[in-house]
Amino acid sequence: QYRLVESGGGLEQSGGSLTLSCAASGFTNLDVYAIAWFRQAPGKEREGVSCISARGGVTNFADSAKDRFTISRDNTKNMIWLKMNNLKPDDTATYYCAADMTPCLPLRPIVPEDYSYWGQGTQVTVSS
């Protein structure tokens, strides 16, 4: 059974940092799955934040995340991370990791429709 479990969310002040983790299980070969992070704030659509290719060689970021967030993965540990720096109140949302055998390419939109497997989310709240 495919499973993604996010952790690391919490309350942080504006300008602070958080690292979200995504633990994958049940994937026979995680290194054929791209992983993406999405977020959804109340009343807003789910937004693609970042993705990383199956073997980690390619990353992509939404404009809102560029120069502040980094994404990484360790397929030997079945772990993916999203390091978020210089947090802003607009970053407040529930963050989800998602997986699928889909391309993660620079400039390619990160959209929920491309991902079949989802975690339950972790809440990030940034105070001003």
Side-chain angles (χ1 to χ4, degrees):
Q1 181 179 359
Y2 301 105
R3 192 172 184 215
L4 298 168
V5 179
E6 303 92 338
S7 61
L11 176 63
E12 184 58 67
Q13 292 184 339
S14 182
S17 298
L18 281 174
T19 298
L20 305 183
S21 301
C22 175
S25 61
F27 294 83
T28 302
N29 294 304
L30 189 65
D31 62 0
V32 299
Y33 291 85
I35 305 292
W37 286 94
F38 292 82
R39 67 186 183 187
Q40 188 166 20
K44 294 188 177 181
E45 293 187 353
R46 192 164 293 191
E47 172 194 17
V49 175
S50 180
C51 67
I52 186 166
S53 62
R55 295 192 177 186
V58 178
T59 60
N60 188 17
F61 296 90
D63 287 344
S64 59
K66 284 178 182 175
D67 301 323
R68 297 191 300 127
F69 294 3
T70 57
I71 188 171
S72 59
R73 66 190 292 167
D74 185 339
N75 288 336
T76 67
K77 298 180 179 178
N78 291 335
M79 293 292 300
I80 306 93
W81 299 273
L82 183 70
K83 177 76 186 306
M84 305 185 295
N85 296 320
N86 191 21
L87 285 164
K88 305 175 181 180
D90 284 348
D91 295 321
T92 296
T94 301
Y95 284 71
Y96 302 88
C97 63
D100 212 325
M101 290 185 279
T102 187
C104 171
L105 299 171
L107 305 179
R108 185 175 189 263
I110 306 165
V111 297
E113 292 76 18
D114 284 348
Y115 293 85
S116 300
Y117 307 103
W118 292 81
Q120 295 300 306
T122 186
Q123 177 66 37
V124 171
T125 303
V126 183
S127 62
S128 57

